[in-house]
Amino acid sequence: MQILQERFAMAIGRAFPEVDPAERDPLITGSKMAKLADFQSNGAMALGKKLGKNPREVAAAIVKHVDVADIAEPLTEQSIAGPGFINIKLRSDALAMLVTRMDGATLGVPVPEVKETAVVDLCGVNLAKQMHIGHLRAVIIGDAIARLFERLGHNAVRQNHVGDWGLPIAMVTAKLKQLSDAKKIDMATLSLDSMEKLYKLSQLECAAEERGLAMARKYRMGPKVIAELEAQVEGAKEAMAHAKQTLVKLQAHEPAVFAIWQRISDITMKACLDTCAALHSNVKAEHSAGESSYALELGPVVEELTKRGIAEESAGALIVRVEGLEEPCIIRKSDGGYLYATTDVAAIRRRVQKLDGTRVIYCVDIRQSLHFKQVFGAAHRAGYDINLATKKPARLEHAGFGMVLGDDGRPFKTRSGENVKLMDVINEAIRRAAAVVNERSAELPEAQRARVAEAVGVAALKYADLSNDRVKDYVFSFDRMLAFEGNTGPYLLYALVRTRSIQRKATAERAIQPGTWTNAPIAIGEPAEKTLALTLLRYPGVLASAAEALEPHRICNYIYDLAGTFSSFFDQCPVLKAPDDATMLSRLRLCALTERVLADGLTTLGLPTLERM
RNA sequence: GCCCCCGUAGCUCAGUUGGAUAGAGCAACGGAUUUCUAAUCCGUCGGUCGGAGGUUCGAAUCCUCCCGGGGGCGCCA
């Protein structure tokens, strides 16, 4: 396709020298009409408009000047269709040559002209809380995007922006310290579950029902009710004051308080990293960069922005106005406290200027889009987005994602309305996968069945999420993701297993040594071979467009397409029973290449793969 | 009230950045197998792309206005 692009651009240059080289795009795409062509050029229409000429005549001129005899069937008047499409059919030897060329170490993925550093914000857990279904997307989409950049030869820096600072954390710290001091809990053995309950309790205790009290007074609800509410408000004020004191002590790293906080952090992060590992997602301790790690940078940032006149006072608070936005970015409250926007502005500075980011990508709920517009705008005004090496602004991007919904179309919750714990979801997917594996693959040893079930369950769960357009909500369904048919993780694993099985069999039953077909000449004859070859060739372009748009589902669509194309090939083109040895070896090589592309795609998405199932 | 996102087959979703006759899977129906792993393949059925205008050779895609659903809107994170 790259070649066609170049050849046609040259032809346009020869036919219309007056056209600026930058505007000689022949718009080569895969053909919509598989019967008519393999590729098509749509450039003649655009060019015709620009030159004020009949697009069909433009197409005719391009056809006359283009030189593709070595790779495509001859272009004629008949190649021009409709308003000026140029249909291109590749010669089968050229197709074989292109596939052969792709069958190298990189699978046709070029070394990037400019090496980017993508800083990827992912996971985003909060201390003292379990990971729930809402974190699923932040982990796996973020990990997939990071893997994609690594796969394309760029740098990826993962950042787990842990919510480990601020008043809510101080509230639970205060609560736990108080209980621990009273010997009512043991911090050494406290579970995350009980910690989360105490977290919620601490929030409640600090929330003053002032509105309720006002209502009660207004409607003269009786002294007993009012007295109770007054006591509640009084208690809440006390708890809040205590939490604020704790926050100050925490910020000063006062040992007794800090030790409690550290313990909360350890317990939460252990569970978080275990969950990420269960998901086969690359989120490790070294990726943690919690809000607390920015604590000392906030004051200086605010001071600098004030001094430079970027921040201004408004109703007692300090704000940064952002072009095109009604709502400014608030970086300091009127009581002098900082906000999460302040932390995020500081984070951009670190991510671009310390971590050398050229793209800073946030895998965070789409509902935060306004927040990120504000923060990006503020950071841009401050120049914190200027990469020190390139002297150019980094791309600040919010790869926002939609919600996970239940069958009822409402946010996915348990029957009692609680958040669904992520670890429970993972285990349930594996449990359901195991039931199927035990039935369908009863011949495998038990230990292997367990491994297969684990991979199938995790692949199903992740694929069901990644295969949807990121920005949209999607309906969560164990039944559908594990249906073992259609656009699912299991279907892809199955296709991969078949590419491997056939190669194993070649060695075992036909005594062909592995590697014999690695360099075998490829011949493309049958339609199914041709479709497979054309599909394989699309891989590098798919990865590039997925990275540009930050849309992993493009890779999903592609490997699903490839798996389907391979299944048809598998059905229609006998490999081990091919008519002759040359065909057999050629087809074995196609199987091997398909295997590598499928495995590469799955790995880039962060899905586990299998040898057998 | 203002802003953002979404609306495609009965259901769940794609649609290569404006290209030809809008595609998959599920569901329904029919066919293929003494298998190269049938967890598969092939076929049939199913659409005024929410609606109405506009832009142009050409619109699911871009613009405007409506309808419907969701979300967000200065000192929570």
Side-chain angles (χ1 to χ4, degrees):
Chain A
M1 208 162 116
Q2 187 63 40
I3 301 176
L4 288 172
Q5 188 81 21
E6 286 163 15
R7 299 285 181 87
F8 272 75
M10 278 167 60
I12 293 171
R14 280 197 289 269
F16 306 99
E18 68 273 28
V19 175
D20 184 76
E23 295 183 349
R24 288 175 190 168
D25 191 349
L27 300 173
I28 303 285
T29 67
S31 177
K32 261 263 161 81
M33 317 289 273
K35 278 176 204 144
L36 293 178
D38 304 324
F39 293 96
Q40 62 188 50
S41 166
N42 301 332
M45 280 85 77
L47 213 53
K49 185 187 266 179
K50 216 165 284 165
L51 298 169
K53 289 186 176 160
N54 181 329
R56 280 195 74 105
E57 284 170 23
V58 173
I62 295 172
V63 164
K64 197 182 290 176
H65 284 88
V66 77
D67 175 22
V68 288
D70 55 330
I71 52 173
E73 291 178 12
L75 295 176
T76 65
E77 284 288 322
Q78 273 70 50
S79 307
I80 303 168
F85 301 107
I86 304 173
N87 284 321
I88 307 153
K89 270 192 157 165
L90 284 190
R91 280 169 37 176
S92 66
D93 61 339
L95 196 50
M97 182 271 288
L98 291 171
V99 171
T100 307
R101 191 196 286 179
M102 177 189 178
D103 192 7
T106 64
L107 296 172
V109 175
V111 176
E113 287 171 33
V114 180
K115 192 163 178 171
E116 308 263 8
T117 295
V119 179
V120 181
D121 185 294
L122 78 183
C123 189
V125 286
N126 295 302
L127 286 202
K129 286 158 92 175
Q130 295 272 8
M131 287 180 86
H132 55 79
I133 191 75
H135 293 108
L136 176 68
R137 311 206 74 189
V139 171
I140 68 181
I141 296 173
D143 186 39
I145 288 175
R147 283 167 187 265
L148 177 56
F149 278 93
E150 287 163 348
R151 174 63 185 89
L152 291 171
H154 301 295
N155 295 322
V157 181
R158 292 165 168 80
Q159 292 280 282
N160 186 358
H161 195 75
V162 182
D164 64 357
W165 211 238
L167 196 52
I169 303 297
M171 289 177 191
V172 67
T173 305
K175 182 81 192 164
L176 290 182
K177 177 150 194 314
Q178 179 200 330
L179 291 171
S180 174
D181 289 349
K183 306 275 186 224
K184 287 185 179 156
I185 56 167
D186 180 2
M187 286 306 289
T189 58
L190 190 66
S191 73
L192 183 52
D193 255 335
S194 3
M195 197 191 280
E196 181 163 13
K197 290 200 181 84
L198 293 171
Y199 173 87
K200 285 176 183 160
L201 184 61
S202 72
Q203 306 290 300
L204 279 176
E205 284 178 352
C206 289
E209 291 287 340
E210 301 210 34
R211 274 183 60 193
L213 181 57
M215 295 285 272
R217 282 187 177 135
K218 186 174 171 190
Y219 294 104
R220 302 170 181 277
M221 296 206 25
K224 202 175 163 193
V225 175
I226 290 176
E228 270 174 23
L229 284 168
E230 277 172 348
Q232 192 280 332
V233 168
E234 200 49 44
K237 280 183 178 162
E238 216 168 278
M240 182 63 94
H242 184 50
K244 284 187 173 169
Q245 282 168 19
T246 304
L247 183 59
V248 172
K249 290 176 182 171
L250 203 49
Q251 284 168 343
H253 285 215
E254 190 176 292
V257 172
F258 192 75
I260 299 283
W261 175 88
Q262 189 63 57
R263 184 72 193 131
I264 297 172
S265 174
D266 289 347
I267 293 169
T268 310
M269 293 315 294
K270 166 93 170 55
C272 168
L273 299 182
D274 285 351
T275 305
C276 291
L279 282 169
H280 295 240
S281 295
N282 183 4
V283 179
K284 307 276 171 55
E286 64 264 30
H287 302 133
S288 291
E291 294 175 338
S292 60
S293 74
Y294 295 96
L296 297 177
E297 300 174 25
L298 303 186
V301 161
V302 169
E303 196 180 326
E304 185 196 329
L305 294 184
T306 310
K307 217 175 272 173
R308 289 169 55 195
I310 293 166
E312 58 191 272
E313 211 181 292
S314 169
L318 206 57
I319 64 167
V320 177
R321 293 202 184 278
V322 176
E323 204 185 328
L325 286 182
E326 198 74 25
E327 304 87 344
C329 182
I330 303 177
I331 58 170
R332 195 179 66 198
K333 296 191 280 186
S334 44
D335 69 2
Y338 304 124
L339 300 100
Y340 78 130
T342 325
T343 309
D344 276 329
V345 170
I348 289 171
R349 186 175 68 164
R350 181 191 296 177
R351 290 168 182 198
V352 175
Q353 301 190 340
K354 282 230 170 66
L355 303 176
D356 193 33
T358 54
R359 289 180 79 168
V360 182
I361 297 157
Y362 288 81
C363 293
V364 179
D365 194 319
I366 193 74
R367 287 175 293 189
Q368 307 226 6
S369 58
L370 175 61
H371 165 69
F372 282 113
K373 278 181 192 160
Q374 294 168 334
V375 168
F376 293 169
H380 181 66
R381 281 197 60 193
Y384 290 167
D385 60 343
I386 303 292
N387 182 286
L388 299 179
T390 65
K391 312 280 183 220
K392 284 189 296 198
R395 289 169 68 175
L396 308 177
E397 299 164 283
H398 178 201
F401 50 79
M403 276 185 295
V404 181
L405 306 177
D407 292 331
D408 54 0
R410 304 173 58 95
F412 191 47
K413 292 275 165 81
T414 62
R415 276 177 299 274
S416 54
E418 300 275 298
N419 278 331
V420 183
K421 280 197 274 175
L422 188 45
M423 208 58 212
D424 291 350
V425 172
I426 299 167
N427 288 331
E428 178 66 6
I430 294 171
R431 193 189 65 76
R432 291 184 184 228
V436 184
V437 171
N438 288 336
E439 186 187 325
R440 300 215 193 218
S441 304
E443 76 284 358
L444 295 178
E446 196 178 335
Q448 190 173 355
R449 286 206 304 270
R451 279 202 302 277
V452 170
E454 194 268 341
V456 168
V458 171
L461 177 65
K462 295 182 84 171
Y463 189 82
D465 190 298
L466 290 168
S467 61
N468 288 290
D469 189 352
R470 204 190 63 225
V471 302
K472 294 186 186 172
D473 298 346
Y474 76 95
V475 177
F476 186 92
S477 160
F478 280 119
D479 286 339
R480 219 170 337 102
M481 73 176 69
L482 282 156
F484 294 86
E485 48 212 3
N487 192 2
T488 65
Y491 174 81
L492 295 167
L493 291 186
Y494 179 66
L496 176 66
V497 160
R498 294 212 292 184
T499 65
R500 289 176 168 167
S501 155
I502 202 164
Q503 293 180 79
R504 266 200 311 273
K505 211 151 223 175
T507 304
E509 291 182 8
R510 305 295 294 268
I512 307 168
Q513 286 312 303
T516 310
W517 55 84
T518 333
N519 292 306
I522 293 176
I524 304 296
E526 294 293 316
E529 289 175 314
K530 184 172 178 179
T531 311
L532 180 59
L534 285 168
T535 306
L536 285 166
L537 291 175
R538 279 168 38 209
Y539 186 55
V542 168
L543 290 186
S545 84
E548 176 55 32
L550 305 176
E551 291 179 351
H553 80 281
R554 295 183 189 222
I555 305 174
C556 296
N557 285 337
Y558 170 79
I559 55 175
Y560 175 58
D561 202 5
L562 178 61
T565 307
F566 175 76
S567 290
S568 299
F569 162 83
F570 187 88
D571 201 61
Q572 286 153 36
C573 298
V575 177
L576 300 179
K577 293 172 190 161
D580 54 77
D581 281 1
T583 307
M584 176 175 72
L585 290 173
S586 164
R587 287 178 180 171
L588 273 170
R589 188 169 176 187
L590 284 176
C591 288
L593 179 56
T594 303
E595 176 206 344
R596 294 178 55 217
V597 174
L598 276 178
D600 196 76
L602 290 166
T603 306
T604 301
L605 290 168
L607 302 191
T609 60
L610 285 170
E611 295 295 323
R612 299 165 207 265
M613 63 191 282

